[in-house]
Amino acid sequence: MKTTVFLGATAAAALCAGVAGAATLDDVQSRGTLNCGVTTGLVGFAAPNASGEWEGFDVALCRAVAAAVLGDPTAVEFVPTTGKTRFTALSSGEIDMLARNTTWTFSRDTDLAFEFTGINYYDGQGFMVPKDLGVTSAKDLDGATICVQTGTTTELNLADFFRKNNISYEPVPIETNAEAQQQYLAGACDGYTTDASGLAATRATFEDPTAHVILPEIISKEPLGPLVRHGDSEWGDVVRWTLNALIAAEEYGVTSANVTDLAGAAGDSPEVNRLLGSEGNLGEMIGLEADWAVNAISAGGNYGEVFAKNIGEETPIGLARGLNAQWTEGGLLYSPPFR
Amino acid sequence: MASISDSDANQSSSFKLSMLVNDTRYRGLTFQFIALMLIIFLMAWLGMNLVRNLAAAGLDISYGFLDQSAGYDINQALIPYTSQSSHLQAAIVGVLNTLLVALLGCVTATIIGVTAGVLRLSKNWLISRLMSAYVEAFRNVPVLIWILMIGTIVTVSGGNPREFLGEDPNSNLFLGAFAFTNRGLYAPAVELGPGAIFVAIAVVVGIVGFFLWRRHVKKTLFQSGKLLPAWPSWLILIGLPVIAYFAFAGAVSLSMPDTMANRFNIQGGTLVGKPLIALWLALSVYTGAFIAENVRAGILAVSKGQTEAAAALGLRPRRVMNLVVLPQALRVIIPPLISQYLNLTKNSSLAIAVGYADITATLGGITLNQTGRAIECILMLMLFYLIISLSISAIMNVYNSRVALKER
């Protein structure tokens, strides 16, 4: 009897402990690993490779944060989440941060009580259809059947787009990208809609990518970025400035190849020196070592390197920088100053 | 030991507090009371924790989101629904879809189950082995796997709707009206014109007449021993609506699927969607396997003497089954059958696996995700399934008490 009561109380206490306290940074440091929520698999952004290691554009950000906080880019526990489970996983404390092509929206930021720590990919929603359908514009899709992942902003934009253009469609709700791909290839839907980057990534895995076209219309703004829980600004700062460090590093020409040299000897650029910790105490201000940014950049390179390696034009996914170029090159990437 | 206090007739005047623990009459109640208090305390503690943690995370419990427009479309809605409708309406669409598939599933599963259960006892070696194989295969593989598998089979077995489209289609509509595609079954839709109400009445009268005639046959048989033919019941069932259909010309018409509307899909007519077909089939054959076992157990529970006695009276095997064995077997079959109906209804919550928009997919899926109101949505879902399950159980128990052995 006593044992039962004791077990019950322990279980109850464990339940309550599930909702993590505010100091995520301390938790991560004392645990020694970062729990990072990613997709269940979207090649180029986050997917396990042939040897079972996670890699991709979003994964690189997890690794950079782990490197900045723990000094070890491999100290990451990847938690695959679906469109439906991602927010619960984050708010319940199961993961410390979510890097899962998640669109920054008003209600997610406010009502769901999350904090977006920046934008790592400027995206927009597009459509993919088989080439032999002869469709050249999304507005020709009147009466078509469209596969869409449920619980996403994509689903809402899709409804808005067809309502705005006064044309009809038949939605096929689908749980994950892999299922959508299977249904689309089986012809259960005429078109597949998701973020244009996701479409490109999906198409790259097809047997014959040239048989499918991505329609020119981009029907929404999809700023994708990492997010953390509300109410823990210190942890939010760490993730935000790690992302900014990668972006700034590209702007200043700091790469994974030269970062150790630049950090070893203070150069003549004060901002690079502050970023790499050879001048000032920026690391201390966010509760990290002075070489936090050096570790983050060494993990997978600066933003440009990460982009080129995972989703850039040299990869099968083949995305152009477009909006995701540095502000100095006509894009939208702009890191606030390291000062 | 207990008898000492039991014999005390005057116990109320000599009640002592220690008797709560020492007296067997009170001891049980005392411990139950303590257990109840502990449970209440535990629940209250967990509840308070929930509220406190939600408050700490800046969240509250509110059902205000139900009024807001849902913003998403649903591929099958039995009531008018657009993306501008409220989350509540989306939930109702989901509820109706759940009820639809549950109802269809229960009916089909019963038919499959009874047939398979009876056939498994057949003396024909091949038939009984085939039925054993069916039952064992379906009972021992999780239902989600069957749903996915049947969903895939339905997808790949039907052709692409594009094959039916255009001036010169690759394949023609079956009977000029039906097309089985990987998106579902396109069929003619029934359109109601003026006078349709009379046709509807004729259908209802036909159904009532069907049962009245059957009852009449039974009554005459029991009262006078004369066996009237049963076939006029079918005449009433089919004849009346046919007469009404021709009497009120144009009241009911069919609108055929249109293959020329656009280059994507067949338009017009009715589309019985692939998700519904897949889920319905999967749930039916899965639950049917369990019902088959219940039926088999029920039949085996009827003493063999009953069959032999009925045969000795000269009844044919089918009549022995229908008039003697099954009515007695029902007493054994129905209680577990209730559980199977409940299981089927609850298993329908796996609908999203094939893209069917049931209540778990709308309220518990998309709405939950778009609004982030997890606790509110899950509470509503639990309440819904609880009400449905208790209703099914109540209705079936009424039926059970009607077929149960009457003891006088």
Side-chain angles (χ1 to χ4, degrees):
Chain A
M1 171 90 189
K2 264 182 187 158
T3 331
T4 325
V5 170
F6 174 74
L7 283 179
T10 322
L15 269 178
C16 306
V19 176
T24 313
L25 181 57
D26 294 343
D27 289 350
V28 173
Q29 277 170 337
S30 64
R31 197 190 305 131
T33 53
L34 170 76
N35 292 335
C36 195
V38 291
T39 71
T40 49
L42 179 62
V43 174
F45 284 85
N49 64 12
S51 54
E53 264 173 52
W54 284 86
E55 58 181 26
F57 187 69
D58 288 330
V59 166
L61 186 65
C62 296
R63 295 206 188 279
V65 172
V69 175
L70 304 164
D72 178 8
T74 60
V76 190
E77 188 75 46
F78 291 100
V79 181
T81 59
T82 67
K84 273 168 78 170
T85 60
R86 54 185 164 177
F87 296 130
T88 322
L90 181 58
S91 59
S92 68
E94 190 188 339
I95 52 178
D96 303 310
M97 61 177 283
L98 183 66
R100 188 205 177 276
N101 40 36
T102 297
T103 308
W104 187 348
T105 69
F106 184 94
S107 65
R108 284 173 179 173
D109 201 335
T110 58
D111 196 33
L112 293 192
F114 294 127
E115 187 175 327
F116 282 82
T117 59
I119 295 167
N120 68 340
Y121 193 89
Y122 291 90
D123 209 342
Q125 181 178 347
F127 292 91
M128 174 165 66
V129 292
K131 201 173 239 166
D132 59 14
L133 209 53
V135 174
T136 52
S137 156
K139 288 178 183 159
D140 295 341
L141 287 173
D142 191 6
T145 305
I146 310 280
C147 281
V148 58
Q149 289 181 58
T150 62
T152 56
T153 50
T154 319
E155 193 170 37
L156 305 183
N157 298 330
L158 178 68
D160 284 350
F161 175 77
F162 277 87
R163 188 166 58 88
K164 210 159 61 189
N165 288 295
N166 208 13
I167 49 181
S168 69
Y169 74 107
E170 183 95 16
V172 178
I174 282 176
E175 193 93 66
T176 65
N177 191 61
E179 268 174 62
Q181 184 176 328
Q182 181 210 340
Q183 295 285 323
Y184 171 77
L185 288 177
C189 41
D190 296 306
Y192 175 38
T193 182
T194 188
D195 296 342
S197 61
L199 289 179
T202 306
R203 187 173 65 165
T205 64
F206 287 177
E207 218 168 285
D208 180 14
T210 54
H212 302 269
V213 282
I214 294 173
L215 299 178
E217 280 87 355
I218 295 295
I219 65 168
S220 67
K221 286 188 290 188
E222 306 285 339
L224 310 179
L227 58 155
V228 298
R229 281 179 294 275
H230 242 318
D232 189 358
S233 309
E234 286 78 12
W235 176 243
D237 289 341
V238 169
V239 178
R240 173 178 303 112
W241 286 97
T242 305
L243 173 61
N244 284 336
L246 299 187
I247 295 173
E250 187 189 15
E251 187 186 340
Y252 303 141
V254 181
T255 66
S256 54
N258 64 15
V259 63
T260 6
D261 295 344
L262 288 170
D268 47 10
S269 162
E271 193 148 12
V272 172
N273 292 344
R274 282 193 296 270
L275 172 67
L276 300 181
S278 51
E279 195 180 312
N281 58 349
L282 294 188
E284 197 185 307
M285 287 182 200
I286 54 172
L288 300 177
E289 303 291 324
D291 62 350
W292 66 280
V294 179
N295 291 336
I297 297 163
S298 319
N302 63 32
Y303 183 92
E305 288 175 87
V306 169
F307 193 102
K309 197 168 94 192
N310 293 299
I311 53 178
E313 289 182 286
E314 302 298 308
T315 66
I317 292 147
L319 293 170
R321 282 297 286 266
L323 291 176
N324 295 292
Q326 290 286 339
W327 65 286
T328 47
E329 285 159 26
L332 291 175
L333 283 189
Y334 187 103
S335 164
F338 279 77
R339 181 168 289 284
Chain B
M1 192 172 157
S3 60
I4 298 169
S5 48
D6 283 350
S7 65
D8 189 357
N10 250 353
Q11 47 90 20
S12 61
S13 58
S14 60
F15 180 79
K16 290 192 209 79
L17 210 56
S18 61
M19 285 165 75
L20 282 177
V21 178
N22 295 332
D23 193 322
T24 43
R25 284 172 303 171
Y26 304 120
R27 195 189 285 151
L29 287 175
T30 312
F31 279 110
Q32 286 188 40
F33 181 75
I34 294 173
L36 178 70
M37 283 299 129
L38 282 176
I39 290 170
I40 291 176
F41 172 75
L42 189 68
M43 297 302 262
W45 187 50
L46 288 176
M48 265 170 56
N49 259 309
L50 171 71
V51 173
R52 212 171 43 221
N53 284 331
L54 280 176
L59 298 168
D60 57 344
I61 291 195
S62 143
Y63 279 95
F65 69 94
L66 285 175
D67 290 338
Q68 292 161 13
S69 86
Y72 59 90
D73 282 299
I74 300 179
N75 55 356
Q76 181 196 308
L78 297 174
I79 55 168
Y81 174 86
T82 68
S83 61
Q84 295 306 292
S85 307
S86 65
H87 280 295
L88 182 64
Q89 206 155 350
I92 294 171
V93 169
V95 167
L96 292 177
N97 283 349
T98 297
L99 292 179
L100 175 71
V101 78
L103 186 72
L104 289 173
C106 285
V107 172
T108 338
T110 312
I111 296 170
I112 295 175
V114 172
T115 315
V118 171
L119 290 184
R120 199 177 173 184
L121 293 170
S122 161
K123 289 198 185 68
N124 184 318
W125 188 86
L126 184 64
I127 289 180
S128 68
R129 283 312 129 92
L130 272 178
M131 288 304 138
S132 316
Y134 155 66
V135 168
E136 296 308 328
F138 276 85
R139 259 161 53 100
N140 296 307
V141 174
V143 64
L144 179 61
I145 292 176
W146 284 117
I147 292 177
L148 289 172
M149 191 182 261
I150 292 179
T152 313
I153 291 172
V154 172
T155 307
V156 296
S157 64
N160 195 301
R162 282 200 285 282
E163 292 168 14
F164 296 91
L165 300 180
E167 297 275 355
D168 189 22
N170 293 338
S171 29
N172 287 312
L173 295 184
F174 180 67
L175 295 177
F178 296 91
F180 188 76
T181 71
N182 57 13
R183 292 175 199 167
L185 175 70
Y186 292 88
V190 179
E191 286 204 338
L192 301 177
I197 182 82
F198 297 106
V199 180
I201 290 172
V203 172
V204 173
V205 171
I207 295 170
V208 174
F210 176 83
F211 285 106
L212 279 181
W213 178 262
R214 298 227 144 181
R215 223 166 117 184
H216 176 64
V217 170
K218 209 174 186 181
K219 220 168 150 191
T220 7
L221 179 68
F222 287 174
Q223 278 175 354
S224 63
K226 216 172 89 185
L227 182 59
L228 295 173
W231 58 263
S233 62
W234 293 103
L235 199 67
I236 298 171
L237 183 71
I238 298 161
L240 272 177
V242 171
I243 294 168
Y245 175 76
F246 285 110
F248 299 92
V252 178
S253 56
L254 294 177
S255 83
M256 292 295 162
D258 177 8
T259 54
M260 302 295 291
N262 65 35
R263 55 182 142 167
F264 303 110
N265 284 318
I266 300 168
Q267 303 285 320
T270 320
L271 170 63
V272 185
K274 180 209 103 183
L276 174 61
I277 296 175
L279 186 66
W280 173 23
L281 279 181
L283 290 177
S284 300
V285 288
Y286 179 76
T287 315
F290 287 86
I291 294 180
E293 286 296 83
N294 293 343
V295 171
R296 189 168 70 105
I299 292 172
L300 288 179
V302 177
S303 146
K304 198 157 185 262
Q306 298 278 331
T307 320
E308 290 167 350
L313 286 174
L315 290 179
R316 276 168 280 139
R318 235 189 82 184
R319 282 187 177 261
V320 174
M321 185 54 79
N322 286 339
L323 297 176
V324 178
V325 178
L326 274 184
Q328 299 186 73
L330 275 182
R331 286 167 204 148
V332 181
I333 295 172
I334 289 178
L337 186 67
I338 301 175
S339 310
Q340 292 312 325
Y341 284 174
L342 294 181
N343 280 346
L344 189 146
T345 310
K346 288 182 289 179
N347 283 341
S348 73
S349 60
L350 296 166
I352 192 64
V354 283
Y356 184 71
D358 76 328
I359 180 73
T360 313
T362 59
L363 178 69
I366 309 175
T367 294
L368 187 157
N369 218 284
Q370 299 298 358
T371 60
R373 298 277 174 193
I375 292 166
E376 292 90 332
C377 289
I378 297 296
L379 279 178
M380 279 181 75
L381 267 188
M382 285 167 69
L383 189 69
F384 166 73
Y385 281 111
L386 188 68
I387 290 173
I388 291 300
S389 296
L390 289 179
S391 310
I392 292 175
S393 182
I395 294 168
M396 289 301 291
N397 274 315
V398 168
Y399 179 63
N400 186 35
S401 62
R402 282 188 54 186
V403 298
L405 191 62
K406 303 282 189 300
E407 293 187 24
R408 297 185 175 90

